[in-house]
Amino acid sequence: MAVPRKGRPLEGVLERLAGLAGAEATADDIISTLRFEKAITKDKQQADRDVYDRLADYSDLSDPTEPEFTLFRDDRDGMPRRIVFDSVTIPVGDVAVQLVGREEPFRALRTHEFALGFDSADLVLEEVVQLRDDPIAELSEINDRIDPLDTDVRVVSGLGDTVHHTLLATPEVLEAGNGTLDRSFVESYSGELCISPRYERLVEAILGTGTLEGIEFAYPAEGIEEEAAIAETGMGVYLTVTGSTARENGLVLGEQLFPSETVLLANESEVDADAGHVRDLLAGDLEAPVQ
C-alpha cells in the first residue's frame, strides 16, 4: 500500500490502520519520530546526533513489523535533508499489509506499482477528472469524472481530515455583486480570481468551466501569502479550516467548494482477494478482525 512519506495525511492513515490492527504503539512510534524530525527541520528542536546516526537508530531492518525510515533530499532552496517514513508491515487479521512511503502515492497506483494507496483528493482532480460545465462538489462525484481509458485508479473513501477549498472575497467585491458568495456569484462576476498556480485545473473542476467564463486567473507574487494576495485581487479560492487568517486579511468567507481530504485509492485491476478485504476494512464496510 502506497502512503505519503510524512505529514498529517500519513498520520491519518496510520491511525486508521492502527485502529483496525491493534498497532497503536507502532503508529505512535512513527508519528512521534516524524514530528520530532519536522521540529528539527524547522529549527524548533536541537538534535544531539547527526542525521545518519538518528536514521540508523530509528530503523530496524531485521523485523518488517518495525518501521523503517529514509532520508529525503529536498531540492528547495534552504530546505535541509529530512528523515521521512519508508516502510512498515502491519498484520491486519490474516493479511500482512506493507505500507510503503511514496512522494506521490496516486501516481504510483496509476503505474500499477500498488493495488491500494492513500493520497490527496486534490491530486486526483488535478490529474485525471474530466472538466465539464457543471462543477464537482463532493468526493462521491469524482469516480464518475474519471475516464476509464485514462486510469484504473478509483476513489474508495475519505479519511475525514477535511480542509475545504473555499471562495473568499473582499467586502467591496461582495457588495458589488448579488450579496451571496457562491458559485452563482462567480458566474456573474468578471475579473481576476486569485488561486495558487498548482490548483488551476482543480479550480476549473470544482467551479465548472461554464462558471469561469469572463474570469482570468491571477496568482500570488513570490513571497506573498495566498490570503493576502486574494485580498489584493478582490476574490479567490483557497484552503481554509477556521478562516481566521482570511478574516485577518479582511476577507469574507463564502461557499465551501470542495473537501480537500486524504482518500483511500484502489487500482481496480490490481486488487486481489487480500487487497479487496483490506480495502473494505479501511473503508469501514466490514467489521475489524478479532486480534
Side-chain angles (χ1 to χ4, degrees):
M1 178 181 294
V3 298
R5 287 196 181 277
K6 60 186 185 299
R8 180 58 205 165
L10 174 60
E11 293 183 11
V13 173
L14 291 169
E15 290 165 356
R16 174 72 69 92
L17 197 58
L20 290 174
E24 287 84 358
T26 299
D28 289 345
D29 181 20
I30 297 171
I31 290 169
S32 61
T33 297
L34 294 177
R35 286 182 178 178
F36 177 66
E37 287 299 321
K38 179 180 179 180
I40 292 174
T41 301
K42 293 183 175 295
D43 293 327
K44 295 181 179 179
Q45 289 276 2
Q46 297 296 318
D48 56 5
R49 297 171 297 166
D50 70 28
V51 66
Y52 297 104
D53 287 336
R54 300 198 308 275
L55 180 62
D57 184 53
Y58 295 152
S59 297
D60 185 349
L61 304 183
S62 66
D63 184 353
T65 64
E66 293 295 324
E68 296 179 29
F69 298 85
T70 191
L71 199 59
F72 175 63
R73 298 178 180 273
D74 199 313
D75 293 331
R76 292 174 294 176
D77 290 341
M79 300 297 289
R81 293 167 299 178
R82 178 171 170 180
I83 290 176
V84 295
F85 173 73
D86 188 65
S87 67
V88 71
T89 298
I90 298 177
V92 180
D94 296 330
V95 181
V97 180
Q98 184 184 24
L99 306 184
V100 181
R102 285 288 185 269
E103 284 305 303
E104 298 173 333
F106 172 58
R107 290 171 183 164
L109 264 74
R110 290 194 71 189
T111 56
H112 295 256
E113 295 177 56
F114 297 85
L116 302 174
F118 284 90
D119 210 334
S120 170
D122 290 357
L123 191 58
V124 183
L125 266 66
E126 290 164 27
E127 294 213 349
V128 297
V129 299
Q130 298 170 339
L131 300 179
R132 300 177 185 171
D133 281 350
D134 55 316
I136 179 171
E138 303 291 341
L139 293 178
S140 60
E141 300 171 13
I142 292 178
N143 288 340
D144 290 338
R145 296 285 189 96
I146 296 176
D147 185 344
L149 297 178
D150 188 20
T151 180
D152 293 318
V153 180
R154 298 293 182 272
V155 174
V156 179
S157 64
L159 278 184
D161 55 340
T162 307
V163 181
H164 281 93
H165 293 279
T166 304
L167 271 174
L168 306 170
T170 61
E172 294 77 14
V173 167
L174 188 58
E175 289 169 6
N178 61 21
T180 302
L181 189 55
D182 55 15
R183 286 183 176 86
S184 63
F185 184 97
V186 182
E187 194 168 4
S188 62
Y189 173 82
S190 294
E192 291 187 331
L193 183 74
C194 186
I195 64 171
S196 297
R198 68 185 186 279
Y199 285 143
E200 186 167 313
R201 197 172 188 278
L202 180 147
V203 171
E204 289 177 325
I206 64 178
L207 281 174
T209 54
T211 302
L212 290 169
E213 293 180 7
I215 288 177
E216 180 181 350
F217 287 141
Y219 310 101
E222 186 175 352
I224 304 298
E225 296 294 332
E226 278 81 355
E227 290 95 334
I230 292 171
E232 291 182 4
T233 303
M235 187 162 69
V237 177
Y238 191 59
L239 293 166
T240 61
V241 181
T242 64
S244 59
T245 306
R247 293 188 184 94
E248 289 172 2
N249 283 277
L251 294 169
V252 177
L253 274 68
E255 183 178 356
Q256 293 179 336
L257 300 171
F258 186 81
S260 177
E261 191 167 328
T262 305
V263 292
L264 171 62
L265 302 163
N267 186 315
E268 299 296 341
S269 67
E270 301 293 338
V271 174
D272 58 14
D274 285 345
H277 184 65
V278 172
R279 174 199 61 203
D280 294 340
L281 284 171
L282 287 168
D285 293 335
L286 300 174
E287 293 184 0
V290 177
Q291 299 298 315

